[in-house]
């Protein structure tokens, strides 16, 4: 039985695999014999809109909802999403930001500009003890041949902070992708690359 207790927010845009990442964290928790609640809040996920997944892990979890200022970890799969959901992170929490920028419809239509210097601004605003880790998860995913592995790269980065044995993560990846067995080696490599980048 593990003693992991964590509130994790996965924030991204439709198609980035936040839901699969949430399910994978659920598998890890169950392998540790822990209670887990995963809640998915779909925005306009089909249109590249904001998608957020809450994951709560512990001995006993009553609600999947993560209130403002209580998340231990915020994984932002896209830069603007890190700003949109930053208020959920608690003081002394860890934010892992994928440096990928996905232009929203207003940006594409020229109505607004994509903001500059997001991660620097987050670091400047962060309270003492709060850690902001920036990685290029898309680039690392492309090293294994598919942008679809971005979510696994992000989980690899997160794994540095959860104290869960690497073998257990690998088992969880194998379980999660059992129906698509040929993707397992690439996902395991993506996890490794993310772990290195987030260390």
């Amino acid at each position: 039985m593990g003693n992991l207790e964590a509130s994790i927010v996965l924030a991204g845009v439709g198609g980035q695999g936040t839901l699969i990442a949430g399910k994978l964290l659920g598998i890890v928790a169950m392998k540790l014999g822990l209670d887990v609640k995963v809640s998915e809040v779909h925005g306009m996920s089909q249109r590249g809109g904001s998608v957020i997944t809450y994951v709560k892990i512990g001995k006993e979890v009553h609600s999947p909802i993560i209130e403002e200022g209580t998340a231990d970890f915020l994984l932002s799969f896209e830069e603007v999403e890190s700003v949109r959901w930053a208020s959920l992170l608690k003081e002394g929490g860890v934010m892992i930001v994928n440096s990928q920028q996905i232009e929203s419809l207003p940006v594409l239509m020229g109505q607004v500009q994509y903001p500059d210097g997001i991660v620097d601004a987050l670091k400047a605003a962060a309270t003492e003890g709060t850690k902001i880790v920036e990685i290029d998860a898309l680039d690392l995913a492309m090293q294994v041949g598919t942008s679809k592995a971005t979510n696994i790269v992000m989980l690899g980065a997160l794994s540095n902070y959860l104290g869960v044995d690497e073998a257990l993560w690998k088992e969880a990846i194998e379980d999660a992708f059992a129906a698509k067995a040929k993707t397992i080696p690439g996902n395991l490599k993506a996890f490794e690359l993310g772990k290195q980048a987030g260390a």
Side-chain angles (χ1 to χ4, degrees):
M1 176 86 135
N3 58 0
L4 173 66
E5 278 199 26
S7 295
I8 304 163
V9 176
L10 308 167
V13 300
Q16 284 192 298
T18 59
L19 307 182
I20 292 166
K23 286 180 181 131
L24 219 144
L25 283 166
I27 294 170
V28 168
M30 288 190 286
K31 285 185 175 293
L32 289 167
L34 294 169
D35 192 10
V36 62
K37 299 271 188 297
V38 180
S39 169
E40 300 154 0
V41 182
H42 303 266
M44 292 285 287
S45 57
Q46 301 303 314
R47 303 266 181 276
S50 190
V51 180
I52 184 167
T53 303
Y54 299 114
V55 181
K56 276 173 110 172
I57 300 169
K59 284 188 172 56
E60 212 175 326
V61 179
H62 299 289
S63 162
I65 302 302
I66 296 171
E67 304 291 338
E68 200 159 302
T70 65
D72 300 298
F73 302 97
L74 171 64
L75 272 64
S76 173
F77 288 55
E78 194 276 342
E79 274 195 16
V80 163
E81 296 303 313
S82 62
V83 178
R84 191 187 313 266
W85 303 106
S87 64
L88 293 175
L89 191 69
K90 73 178 187 186
E91 282 191 31
V94 176
M95 183 189 292
I96 299 170
V97 183
N98 176 14
S99 59
Q100 186 177 359
Q101 297 180 346
I102 297 174
E103 295 185 343
S104 63
L105 199 55
V107 174
L108 292 170
M109 290 170 67
Q111 295 168 343
V112 293
Q113 277 194 311
Y114 196 99
D116 283 332
I118 288 173
V119 176
D120 291 337
L122 285 167
K123 285 180 178 172
T127 55
E128 199 178 325
T130 301
K131 191 169 176 75
I132 297 172
V133 180
E134 183 181 17
I135 65 171
D136 189 341
L138 177 63
D139 180 63
L140 294 170
M142 292 312 292
Q143 288 180 35
V144 299
T146 174
S147 63
K148 287 188 169 155
T150 299
N151 55 352
I152 308 302
V153 171
M154 294 293 285
L155 289 180
L158 173 67
S159 73
N160 290 296
Y161 303 96
L162 291 185
V164 174
D165 193 85
E166 196 168 335
L168 198 134
W169 281 101
K170 289 178 174 172
E171 273 179 42
I173 290 168
E174 285 163 4
D175 289 0
F177 295 99
K180 298 180 185 166
K182 69 178 192 295
T183 67
I184 291 172
N187 280 310
L188 291 172
K189 178 73 175 147
F191 179 86
E192 274 303 318
L193 291 170
K195 189 173 174 65
Q196 289 162 17

